[in-house]
Amino acid sequence: AAHHVYEATCTAPVNIAVVKYWGKRSTSLILPTNSSLSVTLSQDHLRSLTTARCMVDGQGTDRLWLNGEEEEIKAGGRTARCLEEMRAMRQEVEAKNASLPKLSSYPVHIASENNFPTAAGLASSASGLSALIATLSTLYDLPSNGVSTSSLSRIARQGSGSACRSMFGGYVAWEMGAREDGSDSVAVEVAPKEHWPDMHALILVVSDAKKGTPSTAGMQRTVATSALLQHRIEHVVPARMERMSAAIQARDFDAFAKETMADSNQFHAVCLDTEPPIFYMNDVSRAIIQLVTELNRVSLEKEGRLVAAYTYDAGPNAVLYVQEKDVKSVLEVVLRYFPQSTTSFPDPFQTQADPSTAL
Ligand code: PMV
């Protein structure tokens, strides 16, 4: 018999939400209580790289290595579920085309690594699960057999909610959907990266310690106890999704920045409204908010426009969205006020085509 090695390698970057996902209406399917919207960063700085191989001659089971260490694939766990769903999609393709190799019947070995410290609280699950689904879909040749990126995002979602948004580059919405089976809870492209290429994300690592309350436990507690979350879900997010999409379509940085900061603030207010309360930001995070607020106040006065938008996820690290023309001056001010900072690049002011600069 012909001897083939079936192998695929893909990368996926992290994404940083500007309208936050916080709350599940189904924990098993990972269905959110509100839609969300994010920017997928470039591959250069924060990404997962995953290789998957079909063991056509081997017996045994699926196996997984993360950053070189083997991890157990727990039966009924999220990774197992993703593998199951991907196999089912491959089986459908095989059923329609009998000449295709029956890859769905072989075990897979998967190795994944991040090019950034996994413990740094920088959304490694989004890039990791997204890279896993992208790699398996390539291995199984699904895109050329009519499987869309949105339907792949439906599976990535079941690995980690925010991972569904990293299946697309650029500006991406995760539509919460209405169906109980989650078939309409998928990521969709709002605009490609090229639509607004001079957007940069500056990542200010305030602490690289592992975060306190994991997102799954935190969301569960917020859904169970916060009245503010109910207000946010019903009366804030739907209109904000509309305004955010419109701001992106129009490349209106002021509107984008205003909505981004308001949404980060409300997400952390919702955490504070949780019983017992969840604190993700620390004193340095809050000092960065004050600095950005002051920068924007001065710029509004002088030039009638905003220069930076801060946003924080489930940890103290800041992400600043800044337009290319303002990256140098914003970084200068950050480094002046936080002089112990180091940048991860020899020349932080070197401008790049891709919208990501790590600090
Ligand atoms: O997908 P998870 O479980 O890592 O949750 C991510 C939640 C936030 O990062 C705080 C917000 C978001 O939309 O990414």
Side-chain angles (χ1 to χ4, degrees), residues 29 85 89 149-159 164 167 181-187:
L29 286 170
E85 293 263 354
M89 279 203 172
T149 307
S150 276
S151 55
L152 293 171
S153 81
R154 183 179 57 75
I155 301 175
R157 186 201 81 223
Q158 296 172 64
C164 72
M167 296 299 293
D181 66 358
S183 55
D184 58 352
S185 189
V186 297

Side-chain angles (χ1 to χ4, degrees), residues 17 19-22 125 160-162 165 215 219 267 313-314:
V19 179
K20 305 293 186 190
Y21 147 55
W22 197 252
S125 72
S160 172
S162 56
R165 297 185 311 234
S215 58
M219 286 183 202
F267 159 48
D313 284 332

Side-chain angles (χ1 to χ4, degrees), residues 174-323:
W174 172 10
E175 290 172 348
M176 65 179 290
R179 293 191 208 128
E180 222 163 283
D181 66 358
S183 55
D184 58 352
S185 189
V186 297
V188 296
E189 184 186 85
V190 173
K193 181 177 92 180
E194 299 74 37
H195 168 74
W196 199 356
D198 65 336
M199 183 74 85
H200 284 247
L202 309 185
I203 296 153
L204 313 188
V205 179
V206 168
S207 159
D208 60 7
K210 230 177 152 59
K211 64 190 173 194
T213 308
S215 58
T216 299
M219 286 183 202
Q220 211 161 10
R221 234 158 75 198
T222 301
V223 168
T225 61
S226 172
L228 180 57
L229 181 73
Q230 297 312 314
H231 168 73
R232 168 174 168 76
I233 290 167
E234 285 168 40
H235 301 294
V236 178
V237 174
R240 177 163 291 146
M241 286 292 292
E242 294 299 317
R243 290 195 299 270
M244 189 64 88
S245 294
I248 291 165
Q249 295 308 341
R251 294 184 207 90
D252 179 344
F253 185 80
D254 282 6
F256 173 87
K258 192 175 151 233
E259 298 294 341
T260 296
M261 293 187 282
D263 199 74
S264 175
N265 292 345
Q266 188 173 66
F267 159 48
H268 291 277
V270 154
C271 289
L272 199 61
D273 190 48
T274 298
E275 166 63 38
I278 306 166
F279 309 104
Y280 285 126
M281 294 190 292
N282 64 20
D283 285 348
V284 176
S285 318
R286 285 184 282 270
I288 293 169
I289 291 182
Q290 285 180 308
L291 183 60
V292 171
T293 302
E294 187 59 14
L295 268 174
N296 280 334
R297 188 189 64 75
V298 170
S299 171
L300 206 54
E301 219 169 74
K302 279 194 184 151
E303 293 186 42
R305 66 184 190 89
L306 304 180
V307 289
Y310 59 77
T311 186
Y312 296 80
D313 284 332
N317 300 325
V319 174
L320 305 187
Y321 283 110
V322 180
Q323 292 175 102

